[in-house]
Amino acid sequence: MRVVRRFAVLPAAARGAVLAIGNFDGVHLGHRAVLEAARRRATAEGSLWGALTFEPHPRELLSPESAPARLTPFALKAALIRELGADLLIVLPFDHALAALAPEAFVAEVLAMRIGARAVATGVDFRFGHRRAGDVATLARVGARHGIAVEAVEPVEIDGERCSSTAVRTHLEAGRVDRAARLLGRPHEVAGLVRPGDRRGRTLGFPTANLAPRPARVQLPGAGVYAVTARIAGEPGGRWHPAVANLGRRPTFDGEGLRLEVHLLDGEHALYGRRLAVRFLERLREERRFASPAELVEQIARDCAAARRVLGATTLPIESPSA
């Protein structure tokens, strides 16, 4: 898959491509339905297909104080789209000039003139242009003038719930990582560098990797203890290790600041300075304060046993799009 950030380097063969348009934060099952619509049409017409997305997320520019945390940083979003077989990913820099563009101008100048799209697929609630004035009807009407076909894809529902980035965030914030995974079509993943901590886990007999998620505004689940899998960047074989993670403020030790601490269940590994990807599979319990370190150690042992039971029924993948 070719990632295009500047129109000057848009491959000539990309003109006439079929594009799925959206932010695609999370690349959840609803997004995948839009991407699949583009792939299906392109296959029938014998053309290239891909996605057109925006960086940064429009709300990060227009209302940064209320912009949501990212479900998928750009690198992971691109990797997930690549896994679906896309030929290209066009990234539009979202700036004030693009935000001020009228819907009609966006279709004429960006989709038709600069990209030369043959057809586009979007969700039925797609909005675009200055003050989000354009909708799917606008896109279809103006697109027809420029020979661009438009397919609007209906929302995807899982067990009666509409699949959306907002719904995924809501489940994650409540610690319902299993429910979030059903909407995503995969476990929620967070990655970052392992940095030195207070080494308290080692003294308790359960060494942990203190993870600094990147980017800082990535969406984390609610505080608690989780059964997870972890992948060490650059490790031969791309193995996902069974692990247990604590996400919280360590109330037993009057900790300050939110931390993500991961204990690998299959032995010790040299992790400082390494990049670690973590996938959340199931919440085991809430974070709570213990009367003594000894009581905490007993609970950690139970947590590890519970995580092993959860992960024993899980097939660990060999490869990850985020590595």
Side-chain angles (χ1 to χ4, degrees), residues 196-254:
D198 51 27
R199 299 180 183 272
R200 186 172 285 116
R202 186 173 297 278
T203 65
L204 297 175
F206 297 92
T208 59
N210 184 34
L211 195 66
R214 291 289 185 271
R217 295 189 68 257
V218 69
Q219 181 70 57
L220 294 172
V225 177
Y226 294 87
V228 304
T229 57
R231 186 175 189 270
I232 306 167
E235 184 179 50
R239 179 185 176 192
W240 285 87
H241 299 267
V244 61
N246 183 83
L247 176 59
R249 302 180 185 278
R250 308 168 315 287
T252 301
F253 300 102
D254 298 318

